[in-house]
Amino acid sequence: MGELRGRFAPSPSGRMHLGNLFSGLLAWLSVRAAGGVMVLRMEDLDPDRCKEEYAAQLADDLRWLGLDWDEGYGKGGSHGPYRQSERTELYAAAFHALEGRGLIYPCFCTRAERLAASAPHRSDGQAVYSGKCRYLTPEQREELAQTRRPAWRLEVPDREVDFLDGVQGFFAENLLRDCGDFILRRSDGVYAYQLAVVYDDGAMAINQVVRGRDLLDSTPRQLYLYGLLGLTPPEFYHVPLLVAPDGRRLSKRERDLDMGALRQRFTPAELTGLLGYWAGQLDRPEPVTPAELAGRFDWSKVPQTDITVEGEW
């Protein structure tokens, strides 16, 4: 694989919270333990939710904890720009290349139509797109375009895609049955996460992706996109989520767990020790620096199942 190139790619749509930090720390530890290159990319595709003030605060929170980076936001590098909002022309080129091969089509379905009860659903309850607009005639598409701006979907084959995840093990998904044709560009013109993340990781030569387990089932469709775009896929490590006692995933809405509250409650070493304990790298929570933790980092000790955050820790 050569030199390890990892990344942390948060969305600057609010203050970073405990769950974001857990994934970010594991990505950093893996890179630093291997003497690799760490990249910080801002995934600010959504212009309505993502703001520069959040990006600047996020970078400050990482520095406070002791998580540095070699390329990316505020530093530059040879694979920039490192903000997705500045990479639109690159996504457009990839999009039009797929369009020229007849692999994408306009979808005029409303959100209500996509989530209709009659649509097939996966085991986790998410609707699988029915493929309704795939079979529209040119005349039908032209008529619908008079009143509605379409999103654009990638047509997927009836094919199983599998891979070996560094934490979760073997995972497979049938693209057509378990996912369906998926969106590459929204109806407002914003390029979708699936296209942007694949293009960026491929173009930035990222060869290890560490992220939350909630994105595990996105990986087969992303692997399919890597192949279509002629890009080399990375190795994937999908880490457990931090969840509340009732099973809810921690989110930015829970302000007592965001970095503003955490910085008042913990020192950087205390917070790192707590996260390191949850990640299986320490026998008990105790103050430790990220650099010290990197010296003993072991992927085999990271748990597969989600971690419940409760009590006073």
Side-chain angles (χ1 to χ4, degrees), residues 43-124:
E43 297 199 335
D44 57 347
L45 280 171
D46 191 328
D48 296 327
R49 298 176 61 240
C50 298
K51 303 182 186 301
E52 169 57 27
E53 64 191 82
Y54 294 144
Q57 183 65 73
L58 195 152
D60 182 70
D61 286 338
L62 291 174
R63 294 189 193 99
W64 174 83
L65 194 68
L67 304 183
D68 61 348
W69 56 98
D70 306 300
E71 294 179 21
Y73 178 81
K75 282 200 168 188
S78 59
H79 296 81
Y82 294 91
R83 299 177 61 124
Q84 289 186 330
S85 59
E86 299 174 357
R87 299 176 63 83
T88 302
E89 292 183 3
L90 299 173
Y91 307 143
F95 176 87
H96 291 305
L98 296 172
E99 183 180 31
R101 294 163 61 185
L103 297 174
I104 62 176
Y105 63 88
C107 175
F108 299 91
C109 294
T110 65
R111 177 176 173 81
E113 289 169 335
R114 294 197 306 270
L115 301 178
S118 58
H121 287 71
R122 299 189 325 204
S123 60
D124 61 5

Side-chain angles (χ1 to χ4, degrees), residues 3-313:
E3 183 179 52
L4 192 152
R5 287 180 57 85
R7 50 74 160 177
F8 183 42
S11 175
S13 58
R15 195 74 182 264
M16 188 164 54
H17 66 86
L18 199 61
N20 302 138
L21 196 60
F22 183 71
S23 293
L25 175 63
L26 286 172
W28 188 93
L29 290 172
S30 184
V31 167
R32 293 299 181 230
V37 175
M38 188 68 192
V39 178
L40 177 62
R41 182 175 73 232
M42 293 295 172
E43 297 199 335
D44 57 347
L45 280 171
D46 191 328
D48 296 327
R49 298 176 61 240
C50 298
K51 303 182 186 301
E52 169 57 27
E53 64 191 82
Y54 294 144
Q57 183 65 73
L58 195 152
D60 182 70
D61 286 338
L62 291 174
R63 294 189 193 99
W64 174 83
L65 194 68
L67 304 183
D68 61 348
W69 56 98
D70 306 300
E71 294 179 21
Y73 178 81
K75 282 200 168 188
S78 59
H79 296 81
Y82 294 91
R83 299 177 61 124
Q84 289 186 330
S85 59
E86 299 174 357
R87 299 176 63 83
T88 302
E89 292 183 3
L90 299 173
Y91 307 143
F95 176 87
H96 291 305
L98 296 172
E99 183 180 31
R101 294 163 61 185
L103 297 174
I104 62 176
Y105 63 88
C107 175
F108 299 91
C109 294
T110 65
R111 177 176 173 81
E113 289 169 335
R114 294 197 306 270
L115 301 178
S118 58
H121 287 71
R122 299 189 325 204
S123 60
D124 61 5
Q126 293 189 46
V128 176
Y129 182 62
S130 65
K132 174 183 176 182
C133 288
R134 182 198 281 207
Y135 306 106
L136 295 176
T137 65
E139 293 76 20
Q140 289 173 318
R141 289 174 178 173
E142 184 175 350
E143 181 180 355
L144 286 166
Q146 301 302 312
T147 57
R148 189 180 302 169
R149 292 183 61 182
W152 289 81
R153 291 183 182 270
L154 178 71
E155 187 173 312
V156 301
D158 185 3
R159 180 191 305 171
E160 183 171 279
V161 175
D162 61 59
F163 71 103
L164 187 64
D165 186 76
V167 178
Q168 302 299 328
F170 179 82
F171 185 82
E173 190 172 72
N174 181 283
L175 294 174
L176 188 62
R177 183 184 66 244
D178 300 323
C179 158
D181 300 340
F182 58 92
I183 292 175
L184 294 186
R185 192 174 75 187
R186 302 184 334 195
S187 60
D188 61 2
V190 174
Y191 289 97
Y193 167 79
Q194 305 290 5
L195 177 61
V197 74
V198 167
Y199 184 86
D200 287 346
D201 284 339
M204 293 180 183
I206 300 300
N207 52 25
Q208 183 184 89
V209 167
V210 178
R211 60 191 184 187
R213 189 185 58 77
D214 54 321
L215 292 171
L216 181 68
D217 60 10
S218 292
T219 307
R221 71 195 80 165
Q222 290 173 14
L223 288 170
Y224 181 60
L225 257 182
Y226 274 106
L228 292 179
L229 295 174
L231 299 170
T232 302
E235 294 180 349
F236 290 94
Y237 290 73
H238 287 86
V239 302
L241 305 178
L242 301 185
V243 298
D246 61 3
R248 290 178 299 106
R249 185 178 62 175
L250 301 185
S251 73
K252 293 176 181 177
R253 292 186 296 272
E254 295 171 89
R255 299 299 298 274
D256 58 327
L257 299 179
D258 77 15
M259 284 299 295
L262 293 171
R263 285 178 65 161
Q264 292 182 3
R265 183 175 177 184
F266 298 100
T267 66
E270 288 170 342
L271 186 54
T272 301
L274 179 63
L275 294 169
Y277 168 68
W278 284 333
Q281 306 302 305
L282 297 172
D283 295 330
R284 61 183 183 279
E286 59 185 6
V288 65
T289 68
E292 291 168 340
L293 206 55
R296 65 179 84 173
F297 183 67
D298 183 350
W299 269 117
S300 70
K301 295 181 179 180
V302 176
Q304 289 183 311
T305 56
D306 292 345
I307 299 159
T308 301
V309 176
E310 58 184 338
E312 295 299 319
W313 340 314

